[in-house]
Amino acid sequence: MRRKLAAGNWKMNGLGAGLSEVAALKAAHPAPGVDVLLCPPATLLARMSEVAGDTIATGGQDCHDAKNGAHTGDISAAMLADAGASHVILGHSERRQDHDETDNDVRQKAKAVMAAGLIAVICVGESLDEREHANTLQIIGGQLAGSIPDAATAANLVVAYEPIWAIGTGKIPTLDQIGEVHDFIRDTLERRFGPGVGRSTRILYGGSVKPSNATEIFAVSNVDGALVGGASLKAADFSPIITALEQA
Ligand code: PGA
């Protein structure tokens, strides 16, 4: 009932030449058995959307909460949609850290994304210090409550659990730790939005997902896919992750 999602976040990586990786991915998965999403830098979005066609969805990595206006350097949800995007990643820990984005900022952006008819991929996750010295579930609960707008539905929201200490480090939580947080996110969504929305909303795991660990992560309860950084840049790395999800 929840269609699985393999999502790639290219972050600030990729020039035009990198679009050959998208063509290679499409050739390897002409009719994927899961949803596949790539979120390139904004400069590549329109061109990537053309290469990706109907096979691979594309998305932005952030947006402004206004529709348009005097906001130099910013991009609106409508602009991302115009460039071919169907999704927007919001509240990634690198945005929260580098740009001081708060839960409230993320919620305002998510409202704009949903109002533009796009899907918000809202990221939450604890720092290493929080994992070691605080109650991780309480941290995640606060981020969910603050970042997800009331307008969320299973059709316009994806939640990504990304422990900050697992991003780009090669470290992942134990499978029990991943399961504990994903079960908690599922319960939280069910309590706030009711069982229909709560049970149908997809929850991704992100942080050092690789071909070598994808299968075991995808076997964890309430893991509906992955948000992949480094291993989404090359078709040779992302393709086996897609295959592992298809087989999960
Ligand atoms: P990583 O990044 O796969 O390179 O660890 C994940 C993310 O930040 O989404």
Side-chain angles (χ1 to χ4, degrees):
M1 63 169 181
R2 293 189 298 270
R3 191 165 159 85
K4 300 204 157 99
L5 172 62
N9 172 11
W10 278 21
K11 308 190 179 183
M12 199 173 74
N13 298 292
L15 301 173
L19 294 175
S20 61
E21 297 296 331
V22 182
L25 199 63
K26 203 171 138 181
H29 301 271
V34 297
D35 288 345
V36 180
L37 165 69
L38 284 175
C39 300
T43 47
L44 280 185
L45 187 53
R47 278 183 286 168
M48 183 186 280
S49 300
E50 275 186 31
V51 176
D54 293 336
T55 313
I56 299 172
T58 61
Q61 300 175 5
D62 174 51
C63 71
H64 196 279
D65 64 11
K67 282 189 183 150
N68 49 42
H71 302 289
T72 302
D74 281 316
I75 300 178
S76 72
M79 291 168 180
L80 294 171
D82 190 47
S86 52
H87 296 63
V88 185
I89 298 171
L90 293 174
H92 189 282
S93 61
E94 287 151 18
R95 299 288 317 172
R96 292 177 185 262
Q97 279 171 353
D98 297 355
H99 300 272
D100 293 324
E101 283 188 15
T102 64
D103 289 334
N104 185 51
D105 295 331
V106 176
R107 192 172 73 255
Q108 300 310 326
K109 290 174 184 219
K111 278 193 216 171
V113 164
M114 292 167 179
L118 301 180
I119 299 169
V121 181
I122 296 182
C123 303
V124 297
E126 81 285 2
S127 67
L128 188 57
D129 189 55
E130 287 166 338
R131 168 63 71 176
E132 286 174 347
H133 301 113
N135 182 337
T136 294
L137 298 185
Q138 219 172 331
I139 302 286
I140 303 295
Q143 292 174 340
L144 293 171
S147 304
I148 300 177
D150 290 337
T153 68
N156 66 18
L157 173 70
V158 173
V159 176
Y161 168 55
E162 300 208 307
I164 298 169
W165 51 277
I167 294 175
T169 59
K171 291 183 201 149
I172 62 165
T174 65
L175 300 179
D176 283 350
Q177 286 172 327
I178 294 175
E180 181 188 33
V181 176
H182 279 244
D183 289 351
F184 172 77
I185 294 173
R186 174 80 56 224
D187 283 351
T188 304
L189 292 173
E190 286 187 26
R191 267 186 277 115
R192 176 162 166 200
F193 295 102
V197 172
R199 281 185 206 144
S200 313
T201 300
R202 292 174 294 180
I203 306 172
L204 309 182
Y205 169 78
S208 296
V209 176
K210 310 278 176 223
S212 56
N213 60 21
T215 298
E216 60 178 21
I217 293 171
F218 294 152
V220 175
S221 80
N222 284 314
V223 173
D224 303 311
L227 180 54
V228 183
S232 71
L233 292 168
K234 297 274 175 231
D237 295 324
F238 201 36
S239 174
I241 294 173
I242 293 170
T243 302
L245 190 58
E246 286 174 330
Q247 292 169 351

